[in-house]
Amino acid sequence: MQMNYRRHREKLLFLMFAGAIGIILLVIGGYQLIEFMDSTSFCGRLCHEVMYPEYTAYQASPHSRVACTECHVGSGADYLVKSKISGIPLIFTTIAGNYDRPIPTPVENLRPARETCEQCHRPERFAGDLVRVHTTYAADETNTEKVDTRILRVGGGESEVAQDIHWHIAAKVWYLPIDKKRQEIAWVGVEDEAGGLIEYVDPDKVAEVTPQRLAEKKRLMDCVDCHNRATHIFRSPEELIDMALAQGKIDKTLPYIKKLGLEALDPPNPSLEQAFTKVEALEEFYRTSYPQVYQERREAIDKAIEELKEIARLTTFPKMKVTWKTYIDNLGHQESPGCFRCHGKLVAAADDQEGEVIDADCQLCHYFELQQK
Ligand code: HEC
Ligand code: HEC
Ligand code: HEC
Ligand code: HEC
Ligand code: HEC
């Protein structure tokens, strides 16, 4: 195991060095190396340690067939060169081993998402509501099942008729974050037809909104301001176990399987080996506490153990200090402020509508009963 790892690391260092040379060649105009560096395996498998968490989460995501560069670089020569050049420091610090763990976000020089995501998605072509059914299980003997449904008003539509959640991308919504993580928003400006701005401010942070800061730091809201975890989705063991139970990958009739899985994987283990050891102990649990289940259901138990090991792989990243809590997800408002960075917080600045807060009515974005509308 250790030997294997060392060999990998040597290979990695070698390839990264080759990559650095590749950049120089790229600047001169080398072509095949560019293609090599663009390949998903360069980013993921070779940056085995640094980007291992992102690569792993990506492989389990809906975008597992989309190359890293489709989102991180997009098409067009200018961005290619720019992103490769800004990647040089990363390559050298990777060789030296003194990079940040975890890798900090937001990614500063990500190409505007409208130019990458929209190569494949046309949210303005979508209209209507999206039904999300969530099945969860209690940590009791029978793994009691509970089904929740929520309907999201995703909406969409081209500029004038755009509505609901995807209205933000048909409109031009500018905002001013005052912290690095873009969690504190002091100002929002929505462009109107005349090219003017309808402005909103956070009453507690008006002092931070200076013309200079606006000129330098304001951002045009794009896909990634909400979908910042579009593909590197670090789900918790709880979510993953629920999904596996719902999909039948783990047999939900095994007594206490939810509780046992959760106890083995949350809090995160200091190493994958330790996670595996804990998961393997399930066999002993059934043998001693449920001998009959153990006799009759060996196959289901083995399958559950295998699936829990897969979940361990998706949640155990001690080297990069990444857990499911590391990265903020802006797509909701439960674990982090998300939509509520603006909604229910910022107030209209114009004289005639002074004091009107950006709507945070619970029915604005979703509803929970199918017949209600
Ligand atoms: C579907 C689009 C998409 C694909 C494909 C994609 N990424 Fe990302 N990546 C993103 C977005 C969006 C962010 C988050 C940006 C932010 O929060 O600022 C991100 C962030 C990252 C980060 C910063 C750490 C983090 O977790 O936010 C790393 C490292 C990364 N990606 C590596 C990769 C690698 C390696 C691949 C290919 C194996 C890849 N990405 C494929 C969209 C993508
Ligand atoms: C090269 C094409 C491509 C690019 C670029 C791309 N996507 Fe996707 N995306 C897809 C495909 C294909 C799916 C559907 C996968 C499936 O259902 O199996 C998808 C699915 C999604 C979903 C739905 C996931 C779900 O749970 O239903 C979201 C949200 C999404 N993409 C957002 C984004 C965002 C945001 C970006 C830019 C950062 C992006 N995509 C870039 C191809 C792409
Ligand atoms: C204001 C926040 C916000 C912005 C900006 C935004 N989205 Fe979404 N989007 C959402 C929410 C919320 C959902 C529903 C979430 C869910 O349950 O999956 C969604 C759903 C989606 C889906 C899934 C729809 C389906 O039919 O499965 C796709 C694809 C998507 N968005 C792509 C994009 C792309 C591409 C952009 C940028 C052009 C974008 N979104 C911008 C909030 C946003
Ligand atoms: C950067 C600030 C900001 C963030 C973050 C934000 N919004 Fe908004 N949102 C606005 C503004 C501004 C409006 C327009 C308010 C108005 O016209 O009164 C708006 C309007 C809306 C509307 C009504 C659109 C219509 O039909 O007119 C919905 C629905 C909505 N947002 C959902 C969301 C969701 C869901 C999220 C999080 C995933 C989110 N917003 C995040 C600023 C934001
Ligand atoms: C600005 C838009 C917006 C508003 C206003 C809003 N929500 Fe949400 N809410 C969302 C989004 C987006 C999600 C995430 C949906 C997803 O992940 O599929 C969400 C998720 C939820 C969830 C599910 C959490 C989970 O993980 O199961 C609950 C419960 C919820 N909201 C309750 C409320 C309540 C109560 C209010 C009123 C105080 C409210 N929401 C107002 C956008 C909004």
Side-chain angles (χ1 to χ4, degrees):
M1 192 66 202
Q2 191 59 34
M3 265 308 286
N4 205 357
Y5 172 72
R6 199 171 297 150
R7 233 185 303 131
H8 264 302
R9 195 176 159 92
E10 274 165 19
K11 218 192 307 174
L12 168 75
L13 289 183
F14 170 75
L15 283 162
M16 282 210 252
F17 188 61
I21 294 172
I23 292 162
I24 295 160
L25 288 182
L26 163 71
V27 178
I28 307 167
Y31 184 72
Q32 276 183 333
L33 269 161
I34 310 178
E35 276 207 330
F36 165 68
M37 287 172 61
D38 275 353
S39 67
T40 300
S41 61
F42 174 80
C43 295
R45 215 162 298 137
L46 302 183
C47 295
H48 180 76
E49 185 170 320
V50 194
M51 299 196 187
Y52 175 71
E54 278 71 31
Y55 185 54
T56 307
Y58 155 93
Q59 282 182 305
S61 87
H63 292 111
S64 56
R65 292 185 183 148
V66 177
C68 315
T69 47
E70 297 264 3
C71 293
H72 284 280
V73 185
S75 49
D78 53 334
Y79 263 97
L80 189 66
V81 172
K82 212 154 119 194
S83 68
K84 288 280 154 50
I85 289 173
S86 64
I88 292 176
L90 177 68
I91 287 177
F92 284 114
T93 50
T94 306
I95 292 172
N98 60 350
Y99 42 82
D100 288 319
R101 300 178 183 82
I103 297 176
T105 54
V107 178
E108 296 289 348
N109 49 8
L110 208 65
R111 188 174 191 168
R114 291 171 194 238
E115 293 166 27
T116 54
C117 317
E118 287 186 5
Q119 295 295 316
C120 302
H121 296 287
R122 294 286 311 273
E124 66 275 34
R125 287 275 142 208
F126 182 81
D129 299 349
L130 179 67
V131 180
R132 287 281 185 215
V133 180
H134 284 247
T135 311
T136 52
Y137 298 84
D140 56 16
E141 186 177 17
T142 55
N143 313 301
T144 308
E145 189 174 280
K146 183 165 164 273
V147 179
D148 290 304
T149 305
R150 58 171 173 267
I151 301 98
L152 284 134
R153 302 187 199 272
V154 174
E158 313 271 358
S159 29
E160 298 101 73
V161 294
Q163 58 174 354
D164 297 336
I165 297 174
H166 279 161
W167 161 85
H168 301 78
I169 42 172
K172 281 210 165 102
V173 182
W174 296 90
Y175 74 92
L176 179 70
I178 54 171
D179 65 329
K180 264 203 138 71
K181 299 220 169 272
R182 300 183 191 143
Q183 293 302 296
E184 289 176 47
I185 293 176
W187 172 94
V188 169
V190 182
E191 275 187 35
D192 61 23
E193 282 134 55
L197 284 177
I198 304 165
E199 296 179 89
Y200 302 83
V201 288
D202 181 334
D204 298 332
K205 305 200 177 82
V206 204
E208 314 257 5
V209 187
T210 59
Q212 192 198 354
R213 208 160 178 179
L214 277 179
E216 283 167 10
K217 298 275 183 204
K218 75 172 186 304
R219 256 182 71 85
L220 182 61
M221 201 172 175
D222 70 24
C223 319
V224 168
D225 288 305
C226 298
H227 294 283
N228 63 328
R229 293 287 123 205
T231 205
H232 311 296
I233 315 166
F234 295 102
R235 296 188 203 280
S236 66
E238 168 131 47
E239 277 178 272
L240 290 166
I241 294 170
D242 283 343
M243 281 163 72
L245 285 164
Q247 292 170 346
K249 288 183 181 165
I250 296 178
D251 188 335
K252 61 185 174 197
T253 63
L254 288 174
Y256 286 116
I257 188 68
K258 164 83 186 263
K259 182 168 183 281
L260 294 166
L262 210 54
E263 282 170 358
L265 301 176
D266 187 356
N269 290 283
S271 75
L272 196 54
E273 287 70 31
Q274 270 158 288
F276 283 2
T277 308
K278 279 201 197 161
V279 167
E280 279 159 4
L282 259 66
E283 189 173 343
E284 185 56 22
F285 169 85
Y286 286 113
R287 202 174 61 81
T288 50
S289 308
Y290 289 90
Q292 202 184 339
V293 173
Y294 183 74
Q295 279 299 316
E296 293 164 4
R297 314 283 308 285
R298 280 296 286 278
E299 211 177 303
I301 294 170
D302 288 347
K303 221 176 134 211
I305 289 175
E306 275 318 301
E307 189 57 32
L308 287 169
K309 283 185 175 176
E310 184 54 32
I311 293 173
R313 278 187 205 102
L314 293 172
T315 51
T316 314
F317 306 108
K319 282 200 195 112
M320 287 304 295
K321 300 194 167 73
V322 169
T323 76
W324 52 95
K325 292 192 183 130
T326 305
Y327 292 108
I328 294 164
D329 185 346
N330 288 329
L331 200 64
H333 53 81
Q334 301 265 312
E335 304 294 325
S336 56
C339 317
F340 289 3
R341 289 174 296 164
C342 297
H343 287 266
K345 201 163 180 199
L346 272 63
V347 297
D351 290 340
D352 55 340
Q353 46 176 345
E354 186 126 35
E356 205 179 299
V357 181
I358 300 178
D359 200 357
D361 185 284
C362 301
Q363 307 272 305
L364 178 74
C365 308
H366 47 49
Y367 49 100
F368 299 92
E369 302 286 334
L370 265 176
Q371 55 275 36
Q372 193 181 336
K373 176 79 202 211

